[in-house]
Amino acid sequence: MKTAICLALLTATLISCNDKKDLTIFPAGCELKTGDIVFRRGGGISSHAVMMADRNGRYSHVGIVVDSAGKKMIVHAVPDEPDFEGDPDRVKMETPEKFFSPINANAGEVKRLKGDTIIPLKAAEYAMQTYRRNTLFDHDYDDSDTTKMYCCELVEFAYAKAGLTLAGTERHDISLPGMKKIRCMLPSDICNNKSLKKIIAF
Protein backbone atom coordinates (compact mmCIF):
# COMPACT_ATOMS: atom_id res chain seq x y z
CA MET A 1 0.00 0.00 0.00
CA LYS A 2 2.77 2.43 0.98
CA THR A 3 4.66 1.56 -2.20
CA ALA A 4 1.58 2.32 -4.31
CA ILE A 5 1.09 5.67 -2.57
CA CYS A 6 4.77 6.59 -3.08
CA LEU A 7 4.57 5.67 -6.77
CA ALA A 8 1.41 7.74 -7.17
CA LEU A 9 3.02 10.75 -5.50
CA LEU A 10 6.17 10.37 -7.61
CA THR A 11 4.11 10.18 -10.81
CA ALA A 12 2.09 13.25 -9.84
CA THR A 13 5.29 15.16 -9.06
CA LEU A 14 6.87 14.26 -12.38
CA ILE A 15 3.73 15.23 -14.28
CA SER A 16 3.57 18.52 -12.39
CA CYS A 17 7.23 19.29 -13.18
CA ASN A 18 6.74 18.47 -16.84
CA ASP A 19 3.63 20.64 -16.99
CA LYS A 20 5.55 23.57 -15.49
CA LYS A 21 8.37 23.03 -17.93
CA ASP A 22 5.93 23.30 -20.84
CA LEU A 23 4.19 26.43 -19.54
CA THR A 24 4.75 29.86 -21.04
CA ILE A 25 3.36 33.34 -20.57
CA PHE A 26 3.72 33.99 -24.31
CA PRO A 27 0.18 34.57 -25.62
CA ALA A 28 -1.26 31.94 -27.95
CA GLY A 29 -1.91 33.38 -31.39
CA CYS A 30 0.63 36.20 -31.08
CA GLU A 31 2.32 36.52 -34.47
CA LEU A 32 5.88 37.73 -34.32
CA LYS A 33 7.70 39.37 -37.23
CA THR A 34 11.39 39.19 -37.99
CA GLY A 35 13.14 42.07 -36.24
CA ASP A 36 10.52 42.49 -33.51
CA ILE A 37 12.02 43.39 -30.13
CA VAL A 38 10.83 41.39 -27.14
CA PHE A 39 11.07 42.37 -23.49
CA ARG A 40 10.55 40.38 -20.31
CA ARG A 41 10.68 40.90 -16.55
CA GLY A 42 11.73 38.04 -14.32
CA GLY A 43 11.62 37.31 -10.61
CA GLY A 44 15.30 36.56 -9.99
CA ILE A 45 17.90 38.60 -8.14
CA SER A 46 19.50 40.00 -11.31
CA SER A 47 16.11 41.01 -12.66
CA HIS A 48 15.25 42.82 -9.44
CA ALA A 49 18.61 44.60 -9.52
CA VAL A 50 18.02 45.80 -13.08
CA MET A 51 14.51 46.96 -12.18
CA MET A 52 15.85 48.90 -9.20
CA ALA A 53 18.41 50.59 -11.45
CA ASP A 54 16.03 51.17 -14.35
CA ARG A 55 13.61 53.70 -12.88
CA ASN A 56 12.10 54.41 -16.31
CA GLY A 57 11.53 50.78 -17.24
CA ARG A 58 9.20 47.85 -16.83
CA TYR A 59 11.51 45.09 -18.07
CA SER A 60 14.85 43.59 -17.14
CA HIS A 61 15.76 41.71 -20.34
CA VAL A 62 15.48 42.15 -24.10
CA GLY A 63 15.92 40.04 -27.24
CA ILE A 64 15.26 40.18 -30.97
CA VAL A 65 13.08 38.00 -33.19
CA VAL A 66 14.82 36.19 -36.05
CA ASP A 67 13.73 33.80 -38.77
CA SER A 68 15.38 30.39 -38.48
CA ALA A 69 14.41 28.16 -41.41
CA GLY A 70 10.92 29.67 -41.47
CA LYS A 71 10.38 29.52 -37.69
CA LYS A 72 10.34 32.62 -35.51
CA MET A 73 12.93 32.40 -32.77
CA ILE A 74 14.40 34.85 -30.26
CA VAL A 75 18.11 35.66 -30.09
CA HIS A 76 19.29 37.13 -26.80
CA ALA A 77 22.40 37.40 -24.64
CA VAL A 78 21.82 35.98 -21.18
CA PRO A 79 23.79 34.82 -18.11
CA ASP A 80 22.94 31.94 -15.77
CA GLU A 81 20.62 30.03 -18.10
CA PRO A 82 22.67 26.97 -19.19
CA ASP A 83 21.11 24.43 -21.54
CA PHE A 84 23.50 21.71 -20.36
CA GLU A 85 26.23 21.18 -17.80
CA GLY A 86 29.20 23.35 -18.66
CA ASP A 87 27.17 25.55 -21.02
CA PRO A 88 28.84 29.01 -20.94
CA ASP A 89 26.90 32.26 -20.64
CA ARG A 90 26.37 33.26 -24.25
CA VAL A 91 24.12 34.59 -27.00
CA LYS A 92 21.34 32.04 -27.37
CA MET A 93 18.50 31.31 -29.77
CA GLU A 94 15.24 30.03 -28.26
CA THR A 95 11.58 29.64 -29.08
CA PRO A 96 9.31 32.46 -27.89
CA GLU A 97 7.68 29.96 -25.53
CA LYS A 98 10.99 29.18 -23.83
CA PHE A 99 12.10 32.82 -23.75
CA PHE A 100 8.84 33.63 -21.95
CA SER A 101 8.90 30.60 -19.66
CA PRO A 102 7.47 31.43 -16.22
CA ILE A 103 10.79 30.29 -14.81
CA ASN A 104 12.37 33.39 -16.36
CA ALA A 105 9.45 35.75 -17.02
CA ASN A 106 6.39 37.08 -15.22
CA ALA A 107 5.64 39.86 -17.72
CA GLY A 108 6.48 40.56 -21.34
CA GLU A 109 6.00 42.87 -24.30
CA VAL A 110 6.54 42.81 -28.07
CA LYS A 111 7.50 46.00 -29.91
CA ARG A 112 7.96 46.65 -33.62
CA LEU A 113 9.61 49.40 -35.64
CA LYS A 114 7.02 51.74 -37.11
CA GLY A 115 6.60 51.77 -40.86
CA ASP A 116 9.92 50.20 -41.88
CA THR A 117 10.36 46.65 -43.15
CA ILE A 118 14.01 46.67 -44.26
CA ILE A 119 15.84 47.74 -41.08
CA PRO A 120 14.25 45.05 -38.85
CA LEU A 121 15.17 42.33 -41.36
CA LYS A 122 18.76 43.55 -41.52
CA ALA A 123 18.94 43.86 -37.73
CA ALA A 124 17.70 40.29 -37.33
CA GLU A 125 20.37 39.05 -39.71
CA TYR A 126 23.10 40.80 -37.72
CA ALA A 127 21.68 39.21 -34.56
CA MET A 128 21.78 35.79 -36.22
CA GLN A 129 25.41 36.34 -37.22
CA THR A 130 26.22 37.20 -33.61
CA TYR A 131 24.54 34.00 -32.44
CA ARG A 132 26.23 31.84 -35.07
CA ARG A 133 29.72 32.98 -34.10
CA ASN A 134 29.10 31.65 -30.56
CA THR A 135 29.38 35.06 -28.93
CA LEU A 136 29.84 34.89 -25.17
CA PHE A 137 27.95 37.00 -22.64
CA ASP A 138 29.67 40.25 -21.71
CA HIS A 139 30.02 40.23 -17.91
CA ASP A 140 31.85 43.56 -18.09
CA TYR A 141 28.84 45.20 -19.79
CA ASP A 142 31.21 47.03 -22.11
CA ASP A 143 29.35 48.00 -25.29
CA SER A 144 32.53 49.38 -26.85
CA ASP A 145 33.71 45.77 -27.28
CA THR A 146 31.40 43.65 -29.43
CA THR A 147 33.39 40.41 -29.12
CA LYS A 148 31.12 39.71 -26.12
CA MET A 149 27.62 41.09 -25.57
CA TYR A 150 24.93 41.67 -22.98
CA CYS A 151 21.24 41.79 -23.88
CA CYS A 152 20.80 45.52 -24.60
CA GLU A 153 24.14 45.66 -26.38
CA LEU A 154 23.09 42.86 -28.74
CA VAL A 155 19.82 44.53 -29.77
CA GLU A 156 21.39 47.98 -30.05
CA PHE A 157 24.32 46.59 -32.06
CA ALA A 158 22.04 44.73 -34.49
CA TYR A 159 19.80 47.74 -35.14
CA ALA A 160 22.70 50.21 -35.32
CA LYS A 161 24.42 48.01 -37.92
CA ALA A 162 21.13 48.04 -39.85
CA GLY A 163 21.06 51.85 -39.75
CA LEU A 164 19.05 52.84 -36.65
CA THR A 165 20.25 53.59 -33.13
CA LEU A 166 17.59 52.71 -30.57
CA ALA A 167 19.28 53.29 -27.22
CA GLY A 168 20.97 56.58 -28.00
CA THR A 169 24.19 57.60 -26.27
CA GLU A 170 23.07 57.76 -22.62
CA ARG A 171 24.58 55.15 -20.29
CA HIS A 172 23.79 54.38 -16.65
CA ASP A 173 26.01 53.68 -13.65
CA ILE A 174 24.54 50.71 -11.81
CA SER A 175 25.59 48.02 -9.35
CA LEU A 176 24.48 44.40 -9.80
CA PRO A 177 24.74 41.75 -7.04
CA GLY A 178 28.34 40.63 -6.54
CA MET A 179 29.69 43.03 -9.15
CA LYS A 180 31.59 46.28 -9.23
CA LYS A 181 29.79 49.34 -10.55
CA ILE A 182 29.22 49.17 -14.30
CA ARG A 183 28.19 51.66 -16.98
CA CYS A 184 25.72 50.29 -19.49
CA MET A 185 22.47 50.56 -21.44
CA LEU A 186 19.20 49.49 -19.81
CA PRO A 187 16.13 47.88 -21.42
CA SER A 188 14.11 51.09 -21.07
CA ASP A 189 16.62 52.91 -23.29
CA ILE A 190 15.39 50.68 -26.12
CA CYS A 191 11.79 50.11 -25.03
CA ASN A 192 10.97 53.82 -24.71
CA ASN A 193 12.23 54.71 -28.20
CA LYS A 194 9.40 56.50 -30.01
CA SER A 195 10.26 54.72 -33.28
CA LEU A 196 8.82 51.53 -31.78
CA LYS A 197 5.16 50.65 -31.41
CA LYS A 198 3.69 48.24 -28.89
CA ILE A 199 2.22 45.10 -30.44
CA ILE A 200 1.20 43.36 -27.23
CA ALA A 201 2.00 43.46 -23.51
CA PHE A 202 1.22 40.52 -21.25
Side-chain angles (χ1 to χ4, degrees):
M1 182 68 173
K2 287 183 179 178
T3 303
I5 292 172
C6 287
L7 285 172
L9 287 171
L10 179 60
T11 302
T13 301
L14 289 173
I15 290 171
S16 175
C17 289
N18 285 335
D19 285 348
K20 181 151 182 84
K21 186 178 178 183
D22 293 337
L23 288 176
T24 183
I25 67 167
F26 185 67
C30 178
E31 293 189 14
L32 298 174
K33 288 188 176 182
T34 303
D36 281 354
I37 302 172
V38 291
F39 300 86
R40 77 183 187 198
R41 181 178 68 243
I45 294 174
S46 294
S47 179
H48 284 301
V50 172
M51 295 306 301
M52 287 179 64
D54 198 352
R55 299 297 182 183
N56 297 316
R58 301 180 300 280
Y59 305 106
S60 56
H61 190 56
V62 59
I64 182 171
V65 177
V66 300
D67 186 297
S68 177
K71 183 176 176 61
K72 296 298 183 288
M73 302 286 283
I74 294 172
V75 169
H76 63 122
V78 63
D80 303 321
E81 291 183 21
D83 289 331
F84 51 86
E85 187 175 347
D87 187 15
D89 295 340
R90 58 188 169 88
V91 173
K92 302 175 69 172
M93 183 168 69
E94 297 179 329
T95 65
E97 290 76 17
K98 185 172 182 183
F99 181 86
F100 288 112
S101 161
I103 296 171
N104 300 316
N106 53 40
E109 186 168 345
V110 178
K111 286 203 163 183
R112 185 172 297 159
L113 188 63
K114 297 175 182 176
D116 196 299
T117 57
I118 302 302
I119 287 178
L121 294 177
K122 289 182 177 179
E125 182 54 39
Y126 287 121
M128 279 291 281
Q129 291 174 13
T130 305
Y131 162 72
R132 286 175 180 145
R133 69 172 184 250
N134 298 314
T135 305
L136 295 178
F137 185 84
D138 184 1
H139 288 280
D140 293 323
Y141 294 84
D142 178 7
D143 50 78
S144 67
D145 176 9
T146 56
T147 59
K148 298 180 181 180
M149 293 194 180
Y150 63 98
C151 67
C152 297
E153 180 184 5
L154 170 63
V155 175
E156 171 66 4
F157 169 80
Y159 263 85
K161 286 281 285 182
L164 178 66
T165 297
L166 293 175
T169 57
E170 183 178 2
R171 299 295 180 264
H172 310 269
D173 293 318
I174 64 172
S175 296
L176 295 176
M179 292 182 58
K180 62 183 180 181
K181 183 180 288 186
I182 58 175
R183 188 167 181 80
C184 64
M185 290 175 271
L186 290 170
S188 66
D189 296 328
I190 296 171
C191 191
N192 295 338
N193 189 297
K194 296 188 185 305
S195 298
L196 302 176
K197 63 180 178 181
K198 180 173 74 173
I199 302 303
I200 188 171
F202 46 93

